[in-house]
């Protein structure tokens, strides 16, 4: 599924007309369903188990990262018995960029919109990759083909945003890394390659949980070129 800039603008207009609320460029599956026409008979894109829960916003509703050797068991023992995890909308209040990323955003580099888009893409995709790898107790469900299309969708939105950024050269390192990361995810799910999917997951996990939100309870894979360690 390919998205040109013209397609993106047309589709976003369709979303607005459909009455789907998209805050700060955070595109979850609710918008994705409308944009892709998933509600039309015979064109099911989202395989969502359980249904989207936009009201959930507490920490115990956050996507879990589960060790493959203990699939279905939460790393966070304080959550008790893990149940099926629902999709949770991105929460900008949880954004806390690592120092290694801060310089790529702000007045001299990428805009707040770009930062929100990167944050939302990492958060959204991560949930579905967790669910794909480790089951319904780790995250919402989507098959390989649809995860691939979901990543393509976010990649198209990112590329479109970069065309509008006035200071993208000052953030070229992050822009290149993030675009390539999404491309690696697209290729991994296209090939259904478990090794590459796991590598993509590790990078995405560190970007989402540590570089973007400083979740001290989450495992650190050390899978990005940017330091995840915080200043003391």
């Amino acid at each position: 599924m390919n998205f040109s800039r013209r397609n993106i603008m047309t589709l976003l207009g369709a979303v607005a007309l459909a009455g789907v609320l998209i805050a700060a460029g955070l595109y979850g599956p609710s918008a994705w369903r409308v944009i892709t026409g998933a509600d039309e008979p015979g064109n099911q894109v989202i395989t969502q188990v359980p249904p989207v829960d936009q009201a959930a916003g507490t920490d115990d509703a956050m996507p879990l990262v589960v060790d493959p050797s203990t699939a279905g068991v939460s790393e966070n023992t304080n959550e008790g018995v893990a149940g099926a995890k629902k999709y949770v909308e991105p929460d900008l209040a949880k954004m806390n960029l690592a120092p290694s990323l801060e310089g790529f955003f702000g007045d001299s580099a990428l805009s707040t919109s770009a930062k929100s888009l990167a944050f939302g893409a990492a958060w959204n995709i991560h949930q579905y990759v967790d669910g794909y790898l480790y089951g319904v107790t780790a995250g919402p469900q989507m098959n390989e083909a649809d995860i691939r299309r979901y990543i393509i969708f976010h990649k198209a939105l990112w590329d479109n945003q970069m065309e509008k950024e006035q200071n993208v050269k000052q953030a070229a390192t992050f822009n290149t890394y993030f675009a390539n990361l999404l491309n690696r995810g697209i290729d991994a799910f296209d090939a259904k390659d478990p090794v590459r999917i796991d590598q993509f997951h590790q990078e995405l996990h560190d970007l989402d949980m540590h570089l973007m939100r400083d979740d001290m309870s989450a495992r650190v894979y050390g899978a990005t070129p940017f330091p995840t360690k915080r200043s003391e």
Side-chain angles (χ1 to χ4, degrees), residues 65-68 75 126 134 198 201-203 205-206 210 218-224 228:
V65 176
V66 183
D67 189 288
E75 283 186 344
H126 186 199
Y134 310 130
D198 186 56
H201 168 259
Q202 291 183 22
E203 284 191 83
H205 167 88
D206 281 357
H210 296 288
R219 176 178 179 176
V220 179
Y221 289 99
T224 78
T228 57

Side-chain angles (χ1 to χ4, degrees), residues 72-158:
V73 180
S74 169
E75 283 186 344
N76 186 346
T77 56
N78 293 327
E79 291 186 350
V81 179
K85 294 296 172 182
K86 298 180 180 181
Y87 168 80
V88 180
E89 295 283 356
D91 182 357
L92 289 173
K94 294 182 181 293
M95 191 187 303
N96 183 14
L97 293 184
S100 55
L101 291 192
E102 284 180 348
F104 297 113
F105 298 94
D107 295 338
S108 62
L110 297 178
S111 66
T112 299
S113 294
K115 179 169 62 175
S116 299
L117 191 59
F119 174 79
W123 173 307
N124 284 331
I125 298 168
H126 186 199
Q127 291 185 71
Y128 286 103
V129 175
D130 273 357
Y132 172 81
L133 287 174
Y134 310 130
V136 296
T137 60
Q141 303 293 288
M142 195 185 292
N143 62 34
E144 295 105 336
D146 291 337
I147 292 178
R148 175 181 175 274
R149 285 186 282 187
Y150 197 50
I151 301 171
I152 289 173
F153 172 63
H154 282 89
K155 173 65 165 51
L157 293 171
W158 177 257

Side-chain angles (χ1 to χ4, degrees), residues 154-229:
H154 282 89
K155 173 65 165 51
L157 293 171
W158 177 257
D159 289 344
N160 182 64
Q161 182 65 39
M162 290 306 99
E163 290 181 15
K164 299 185 291 186
E165 294 289 321
Q166 296 182 350
N167 300 315
V168 69
K169 289 183 180 179
Q170 279 75 12
T173 300
F174 179 81
N175 176 34
T176 299
Y177 168 76
F178 188 58
N180 287 340
L181 169 63
L182 296 180
N183 280 334
R184 285 192 292 274
I186 293 165
D187 291 343
F189 278 98
D190 185 46
K192 300 183 181 180
D193 184 331
V195 173
R196 291 160 65 190
I197 290 173
D198 186 56
Q199 290 172 341
F200 172 66
H201 168 259
Q202 291 183 22
E203 284 191 83
L204 188 67
H205 167 88
D206 281 357
L207 175 66
D208 177 29
M209 303 298 281
H210 296 288
L211 296 175
M212 288 287 185
R213 1 181 197 148
D214 191 26
D215 186 333
M216 300 299 291
S217 67
R219 176 178 179 176
V220 179
Y221 289 99
T224 78
F226 306 105
T228 57
K229 182 176 175 57

